[in-house]
Amino acid sequence: MPLWIDDEADERPRVPLSRRRVLRAAVELADQAGLDALTMRRVAQELGVEPMSLYHHVANKEAILDGVVEMVIGEILGAVEGEEGPDPAGDWQAALRWRILAAREVLLRHKWAPGVIQTRSSISEAAIAYYEGVLGILRAGGFTYDLAHHALHALGSRAMGFTQEMFEPDNPDDDMDPAMLEQMGMKYPHLAGMMAAIAHEAPETTLSWCDDNTEFSFALDLILEGLERRRLG
Amino acid sequence: MPLWIDDEADERPRVPLSRRRVLRAAVELADQAGLDALTMRRVAQELGVEPMSLYHHVANKEAILDGVVEMVIGEILGAVEGEEGPDPAGDWQAALRWRILAAREVLLRHKWAPGVIQTRSSISEAAIAYYEGVLGILRAGGFTYDLAHHALHALGSRAMGFTQEMFEPDNPDDDMDPAMLEQMGMKYPHLAGMMAAIAHEAPETTLSWCDDNTEFSFALDLILEGLERRRLG
DNA sequence: ACCTGAACACCGTTCAAGT
DNA sequence: ACCTGAACACCGTTCAAGT
């Protein structure tokens, strides 16, 4: 057992703490260990520092949550502004779809983020900038401000790539034991029928039969088409 | 100070604890004091009992959260099944809109519920029953099971009346101090333009310019119309 | 059987003290 | 100035004990 593997002795040559370093550690922690692991004490531990040291760089835990949201939306903003999407003056639907799917890709790397974002009461500047971009696309596509406003509400959190399903999507073992499925046919004939129909159509997917990306795109296109009709009508 | 006002001496004639009573107390507590107040210790206090007594009727706090979700969705189910809505065979859109708006009305009485529902990993039986009803409406309206399945995903949590906005809707003081609004015109011209356009159109509403019900209905109708178009081919 | 009290391992946070 | 240690007021929960 060589001594020089000791991973606590020389934790990097003393890079000083900073708000940014605290928030980066917090995001990494949530990515790796889930939102429940995001405690002041564990963030401090990750940084090799005493819990109380954090308070010199962030006001409190709420400020950390505000901060990680800021970082994630910043990452989204970087993704949509770093690359060139379709020209909104030519095809606003393609442009908006591109932007939203880019945002969604970032959120898939931070699955805990939507839940936190929705608990924030004030809108971060990064979010404002993102929405400004969405509005720009709609305007370039010929929307009045009034219709664009309705459009923002209609998209809701989906405008930033949120999935909006009723229950946690990441739960692979959504049980359904055979006995329960048996009696489901009696009490819930339509649900049983739907599952049978879909299992028949795509038998390879057993029972995790819903492809997230397909369903997200279906819903998004539905809304975009509806908005286009409102715009023309 | 009359003695008989003492509100701790004879807390009701000893009605025994039960799972149902625990859950009802939990729902009431969340309604009145918010989700943060929903702790084992406060629920117990509300029932005039020691915290540990709760564990004889619910497994742990997770079970309480599962339970309050069950109660709220049960209330939704009662609302949609207690009254007769439009006939889905005649107008499936009207029938589904009626069902969803009824669910939404219940959720407005339990604003904390959507956040909790979305943290549950397993689907409660009450939720299954609600969705069975939605599917029944779609089928009566002539949907294939396949399209009905897409429809459920497209509606997502909106199928149960969820608002799906990006940020907490109940925050009335979404600040926007004039100075910030001033420079917003420079950095975010489209947002500034939109706010100006809408303030012009509905000057009485100052800056809480978004009527939740209007926006919810706009989005819902957009989706229902889109689904109808898909159904017709 | 149902309820209780003390205790444990965790939180976020305050405060006074160190360098 | 930045970081620390002890302490406080809260959590959820285990366990052994009461009735």
Side-chain angles (χ1 to χ4, degrees):
Chain A
M1 181 79 75
L3 281 175
W4 45 267
I5 281 197
D6 186 329
D7 56 351
E8 217 166 33
D10 60 342
E11 282 266 337
R12 304 273 162 79
R14 263 281 157 243
V15 38
L17 224 48
S18 70
R19 179 180 135 88
R20 224 189 144 60
R21 232 158 72 74
V22 170
L23 296 183
R24 274 209 296 107
V27 169
E28 266 172 45
L29 188 59
D31 286 344
Q32 287 162 18
L35 191 60
D36 287 344
L38 189 53
T39 69
M40 301 299 277
R41 284 163 146 97
R42 283 212 52 183
V43 172
Q45 185 184 314
E46 222 68 24
L47 290 162
V49 122
E50 294 299 311
M52 293 315 105
S53 304
L54 303 178
Y55 286 85
H56 290 274
H57 302 95
V58 293
N60 49 33
K61 188 174 179 183
E62 280 301 290
I64 288 196
L65 293 179
D66 287 343
V68 295
V69 164
E70 193 186 311
M71 298 222 82
V72 170
I73 300 184
E75 194 179 332
I76 288 174
L77 211 54
V80 298
E81 289 181 350
E83 250 174 292
E84 191 77 26
D87 175 23
D91 184 346
W92 72 265
Q93 292 190 55
L96 187 50
R97 189 184 300 111
W98 182 88
R99 189 183 184 85
I100 290 175
L101 291 178
R104 181 171 142 84
E105 228 164 84
V106 173
L107 287 183
L108 291 179
R109 295 201 294 270
H110 307 290
K111 289 204 203 296
W112 49 271
V116 180
I117 292 174
Q118 259 151 341
T119 66
R120 302 300 88 196
S121 52
S122 63
I123 304 178
S124 72
E125 172 126 13
I128 290 180
Y130 181 85
Y131 275 110
E132 171 73 9
V134 172
L135 264 182
I137 289 172
L138 293 173
R139 288 291 285 173
F143 281 63
T144 63
Y145 275 127
D146 187 52
L147 185 57
H149 174 233
H150 285 310
L152 286 191
H153 280 288
L155 285 164
S157 58
R158 183 171 264 129
M160 213 181 260
F162 286 35
T163 287
Q164 299 185 332
E165 295 285 348
M166 175 78 33
F167 299 95
E168 289 262 278
D170 53 0
N171 202 32
D173 50 44
D174 250 344
D175 25 51
M176 285 292 166
D177 55 291
M180 185 176 163
L181 212 148
E182 176 68 20
Q183 77 158 111
M184 218 184 80
M186 316 266 56
K187 286 182 72 174
Y188 308 114
H190 290 118
L191 277 166
M194 183 178 79
M195 287 172 64
I198 285 157
H200 182 262
E201 213 160 287
E204 74 283 8
T205 54
T206 349
L207 263 184
S208 75
W209 28 291
C210 314
D211 179 61
D212 284 348
N213 289 322
T214 304
E215 301 303 341
F216 185 87
S217 290
F218 178 87
L220 181 56
D221 288 341
L222 204 65
I223 294 171
L224 296 184
E225 284 178 32
L227 291 172
E228 174 69 354
R229 287 182 68 213
R230 293 281 195 285
R231 185 180 75 84
L232 297 173
Chain B
M1 181 80 77
L3 281 173
W4 46 268
I5 281 199
D6 185 329
D7 56 353
E8 217 165 35
D10 61 341
E11 280 269 339
R12 307 270 163 81
R14 263 280 159 245
V15 37
L17 224 47
S18 70
R19 178 180 135 89
R20 225 187 143 62
R21 232 158 73 76
V22 170
L23 297 183
R24 273 210 294 108
V27 169
E28 266 172 45
L29 188 58
D31 286 343
Q32 287 163 18
L35 192 59
D36 287 344
L38 189 54
T39 69
M40 300 299 277
R41 284 162 146 96
R42 284 212 51 184
V43 172
Q45 184 183 314
E46 221 68 24
L47 290 161
V49 123
E50 294 300 311
M52 291 316 104
S53 303
L54 303 179
Y55 287 86
H56 290 274
H57 302 95
V58 292
N60 49 33
K61 188 173 180 183
E62 279 302 289
I64 287 195
L65 293 179
D66 287 342
V68 294
V69 164
E70 193 185 313
M71 297 222 83
V72 170
I73 300 185
E75 192 178 334
I76 289 175
L77 211 53
V80 297
E81 290 181 349
E83 250 176 292
E84 193 76 27
D87 176 22
D91 183 348
W92 72 266
Q93 292 191 55
L96 187 50
R97 188 184 301 112
W98 181 88
R99 188 182 184 87
I100 290 175
L101 291 178
R104 180 172 144 83
E105 228 164 84
V106 173
L107 287 182
L108 292 179
R109 295 201 293 270
H110 308 290
K111 289 205 203 295
W112 49 271
V116 180
I117 292 174
Q118 258 151 342
T119 66
R120 302 300 87 199
S121 53
S122 63
I123 305 177
S124 72
E125 173 127 13
I128 289 180
Y130 181 84
Y131 274 111
E132 171 74 9
V134 172
L135 264 182
I137 290 172
L138 293 173
R139 287 291 285 173
F143 281 63
T144 63
Y145 275 127
D146 187 52
L147 184 56
H149 174 234
H150 285 309
L152 286 191
H153 280 288
L155 286 163
S157 59
R158 183 171 264 130
M160 214 180 260
F162 286 35
T163 288
Q164 300 185 333
E165 295 284 347
M166 175 78 34
F167 300 96
E168 288 261 280
D170 51 2
N171 204 31
D173 49 44
D174 250 342
D175 26 47
M176 285 292 167
D177 54 292
M180 186 175 162
L181 213 147
E182 177 67 19
Q183 74 158 109
M184 217 183 82
M186 316 264 57
K187 286 182 73 173
Y188 309 113
H190 290 118
L191 277 166
M194 183 178 80
M195 287 172 64
I198 286 158
H200 183 263
E201 212 160 290
E204 74 282 9
T205 54
T206 350
L207 264 184
S208 75
W209 29 290
C210 314
D211 180 60
D212 284 348
N213 289 322
T214 304
E215 302 302 342
F216 186 86
S217 289
F218 178 88
L220 181 56
D221 288 341
L222 204 65
I223 294 171
L224 297 183
E225 285 178 32
L227 290 172
E228 174 70 353
R229 286 182 67 214
R230 294 281 195 284
R231 186 180 73 83
L232 296 175

